[in-house]
Amino acid sequence: KKGMALVDGHGNFGSIEGDGAAAMRYTEAKLKNFTQDVFLADLDKDIVDFIPNFDGSETEPEVLPVKVLNGADGIAVGMVTNIPTHNLGEVVDACIYYLRKNIIESEIVSIEDIIKLCPGPDFPTGGIVINKSELPEIYRNGVGKIKVRGRLVFEEGKGRGEKDRLVITEIPYTMIGNNIAKFMQDIIGLIENRQVSDISDISNESSKDGIRIVLELKK
């Protein structure tokens, strides 16, 4: 699959449009089987160090024996990381290729070799990476900007009176939350100021099935 959730939630956990989750007393969560296989398997095989917990009453793993890390975002003690998510299958294929070539066959693996198997980031909300030519250098140095554009499809109106539509089916990942509403307000502003003359209405029909922002066109 393109993305795998780590937590199985029950109750209202908010929405992609930025709606907040319900109070903790109304929600429940447990780890998915996938998470236990990838994050916790082999914990009993003495492959990570254990340290005392906060009051010394028991021990806890210093780190988890994670098999695949796919994306991270955080800051601590003046150090920051921002690793975009990738297609999990492509990441695993690239890891296996690297291990076979570099460790077993003692061959040097280049960034270009890895990109053939894992060609770029794969965000939960989709989108199109428009600076693909810069990705080898970004992967080589670990620093750079990945520019993502939404995906737009044309839907022809069917039947009498139904108008043609432009439908946004994928958005840049940074748009989730209040930025979707801001984007729609910006479009409305363009319509009201007559900077855009072909759009008559905009609506957000996104659901659990995916992103769907509809721009209704004039005849």
Side-chain angles (χ1 to χ4, degrees):
K1 289 185 178 182
K2 180 160 69 171
M4 292 293 291
L6 302 180
V7 175
D8 186 8
H10 180 72
N12 177 12
F13 278 78
S15 72
I16 197 171
E17 284 90 1
D19 300 317
M24 286 187 286
R25 63 182 177 274
Y26 298 121
T27 58
E28 299 175 0
K30 65 180 180 180
L31 295 181
K32 289 202 167 192
N33 291 335
F34 170 81
T35 311
Q36 297 183 51
D37 292 339
V38 173
F39 281 72
L40 302 177
D42 301 330
L43 193 59
D44 58 339
K45 295 181 180 176
D46 197 27
I47 58 175
V48 296
D49 293 331
F50 278 70
I51 57 175
N53 69 336
F54 68 99
D55 64 356
S57 61
E58 53 185 334
T59 59
E60 62 185 11
E62 189 172 26
V63 294
L64 294 177
V66 180
K67 294 178 180 177
V68 179
L69 176 63
N70 189 17
D73 187 359
I75 184 170
V77 201
M79 298 199 309
V80 64
T81 185
N82 195 333
I83 304 171
T85 56
H86 291 69
N87 182 291
L88 186 58
E90 294 173 355
V91 170
V92 172
D93 288 343
C95 288
I96 293 172
Y97 176 83
Y98 179 85
L99 290 171
R100 186 175 71 247
K101 288 291 184 181
N102 188 268
I103 306 301
I104 300 175
E105 301 177 11
S106 299
E107 294 184 14
I108 296 176
V109 179
S110 68
I111 292 295
E112 287 72 20
D113 292 333
I114 295 297
I115 286 180
K116 290 177 183 177
L117 296 170
C118 188
D122 197 350
F123 297 100
T125 56
I128 303 168
V129 176
I130 61 173
N131 62 330
K132 289 182 179 180
S133 62
E134 300 175 24
L135 289 179
E137 201 63 25
I138 291 173
Y139 282 133
R140 185 173 287 110
N141 299 321
V143 177
K145 291 184 178 181
I146 297 172
K147 300 176 183 178
V148 183
R149 180 180 291 158
R151 188 179 298 275
L152 198 68
V153 297
F154 174 76
E155 289 185 0
E156 187 174 357
K158 298 178 181 179
R160 177 180 290 184
E162 187 172 316
K163 297 178 180 177
D164 295 340
R165 296 178 294 269
L166 292 176
V167 181
I168 300 170
T169 58
E170 299 177 15
I171 59 173
Y173 187 56
T174 51
M175 272 185 65
I176 63 173
N178 295 329
N179 284 332
I180 293 179
K182 180 182 180 302
F183 167 76
M184 295 182 66
Q185 282 300 125
D186 289 344
I187 295 294
I188 292 171
L190 292 173
I191 297 171
E192 291 176 345
N193 294 331
R194 298 185 178 180
Q195 292 177 265
V196 173
S197 58
D198 296 320
I199 299 173
S200 61
D201 193 19
I202 179 171
S203 60
N204 187 1
E205 300 176 6
S206 303
S207 66
K208 63 180 181 180
D209 297 321
I211 301 293
R212 183 177 170 82
I213 300 173
V214 179
L215 306 171
E216 193 171 277
L217 302 178
K218 294 180 180 178
K219 289 185 179 180

